[in-house]
Amino acid sequence: MSSESPFKSHELENSIPENRELDTHLKNFIDHLSEHHLDLLPNKRTRTLSEHERIANGPTFRGTIISFCRNKGHGFIKPDNETEPIFLHISDIEGSWCPKEGDIVSFKKELIPPKNMKYQAIHVHFVHLKEGVKHEHWDTTQPN
């Protein structure tokens, strides 16, 4: 038996351009998807219907806004009867008010992907706006 490879060197060389051509076609296809079908790819804020129903049917919690940065679009809630603050994102606030420290809110909790180790507040509703604090609507311009 010969110790030669079953592929001759010219056969191997001829297969390389085909592989590169396949890679090019694959890259072009991926580029096409990213340019024309981005709406098909879920983003961080997309929740499936079953996930939305599961969260909506879950318990409602209450807490107090401990911080919120309008420029960054996020802050934290101190839940009643819990020690660890919960993350709050601007896209999960129901209503037209910008949260201020001391506002009392109700909310649902969802695990933050991808690690699913901490919670974030979603479906956030204002229960009581802190008195003596000037509250702004989202559509008002923020002073510099």
Side-chain angles (χ1 to χ4, degrees), residues 73-110:
H74 63 73
F76 291 91
I77 298 173
K78 166 69 172 84
D80 295 348
N81 304 321
E82 291 185 34
T83 57
E84 189 164 334
I86 294 180
F87 179 77
L88 166 65
H89 189 267
I90 190 172
S91 65
D92 293 310
I93 298 171
E94 308 288 335
S96 61
W97 296 106
C98 179
K100 297 287 185 173
E101 186 177 330
D103 291 344
I104 298 172
V105 294
S106 67
F107 60 93
K108 305 281 187 173
K109 291 194 311 188
E110 175 187 46

Side-chain angles (χ1 to χ4, degrees), residues 39-57:
D39 56 332
L40 299 177
L41 303 173
N43 60 37
K44 286 182 169 181
R45 299 289 173 209
T46 301
R47 294 183 180 102
T48 63
L49 182 59
S50 62
E51 185 178 13
H52 180 75
E53 289 174 353
R54 179 185 54 80
I55 293 167
N57 292 331

Side-chain angles (χ1 to χ4, degrees), residues 24-37:
T24 302
H25 287 296
L26 183 59
K27 182 182 180 313
N28 290 340
F29 177 71
I30 292 170
D31 289 343
H32 172 77
L33 282 179
S34 65
E35 289 175 16
H36 302 289
H37 301 286

